[in-house]
Amino acid sequence: METKNGPNYKLESLDGLRLTIYEQPNSKLIYIPLVIGVVILMIPIIIFPFIVAEDRGVPLGFVITCVIALLTGGYLLRMYLWNAYGSEVFIIKQNTFSTYYDYKFLKDNVRTFRFQSVAVHGIEDEKNTSGSEMIAFCIDEQTFSSREAIPIDVITQIAKILKQS
């Protein structure tokens, strides 16, 4: 097994290919969605005992507020997990291509395809001029590209590995 690590990626090749591209965290700003999400989730929990103490039942407005708080807090928690631990994973193994977003505790947008041909190339990134490009996998008629840039030599190495297999 050959493993190559970089500052924002990990490339493994053993009976296939696995590329993990890590999201670059934005310093202390990643905690803002976490704090806001926790506050939004705590408001209905704090208010619930006061509503139950009135013995009038649970109003529909409170239930709707709880649902909105749960959805909003869940979205903000997901945003925090992506900024703190997020990574894109691309796996090519025996004519099967899989890609998903890994949030450490959950996986999102899992897609798996069988393919006849695969090609790899780089896509220029406007914000990156330091010898890095976003990678694109051309699977038959579909193209899957990364959100973050990786070094061009890694893209070249992936193309060589795929040509050998």
Side-chain angles (χ1 to χ4, degrees):
M1 177 170 141
E2 183 181 330
T3 301
K4 184 174 182 180
N5 290 324
N8 70 330
Y9 71 91
K10 182 177 182 181
L11 176 63
E12 301 171 278
S13 57
L14 171 71
D15 189 34
L17 180 82
R18 180 184 176 100
L19 174 65
T20 305
I21 303 173
Y22 302 104
E23 181 73 17
Q24 297 297 319
N26 299 331
S27 66
K28 303 290 183 202
L29 295 177
I30 64 173
Y31 295 110
I32 292 172
L34 178 65
V35 171
I36 293 172
V38 168
V39 168
I40 289 172
L41 288 173
M42 292 302 295
I43 290 173
I45 294 171
I46 293 170
I47 294 174
F48 184 72
F50 296 109
I51 291 177
V52 171
E54 291 182 6
D55 281 338
R56 287 198 233 166
V58 180
L60 180 63
F62 179 73
V63 173
I64 292 171
T65 303
C66 289
V67 169
I68 291 172
L70 183 66
L71 294 174
T72 305
Y75 173 75
L76 291 171
L77 178 62
R78 181 175 160 235
M79 185 187 303
Y80 165 74
L81 288 174
W82 176 256
N83 288 327
Y85 305 109
S87 63
E88 296 176 89
V89 180
F90 301 97
I91 302 169
I92 298 176
K93 192 176 197 179
Q94 300 170 349
N95 291 348
T96 303
F97 176 79
S98 299
T99 181
Y100 59 88
Y101 298 126
D102 188 2
Y103 293 83
K104 189 173 184 178
F105 301 111
L106 59 110
K107 294 178 183 177
D108 186 25
N109 202 18
V110 178
R111 297 176 287 178
T112 302
F113 302 94
R114 298 204 49 80
F115 64 86
Q116 300 298 322
S117 64
V118 60
V120 176
H121 61 87
I123 300 173
E124 269 191 49
D125 187 12
E126 301 86 34
K127 62 183 177 184
N128 240 343
T129 58
S130 61
S132 296
E133 291 184 345
M134 295 184 300
I135 190 167
F137 293 92
C138 298
I139 306 295
D140 295 332
E141 298 292 322
Q142 296 180 333
T143 301
F144 301 92
S145 60
S146 65
R147 295 172 53 156
E148 292 289 321
I150 59 173
I152 296 171
D153 64 325
V154 175
I155 297 171
T156 306
Q157 182 181 2
I158 291 171
K160 287 179 185 176
I161 291 170
L162 291 176
K163 283 183 182 179
Q164 292 174 356
S165 57

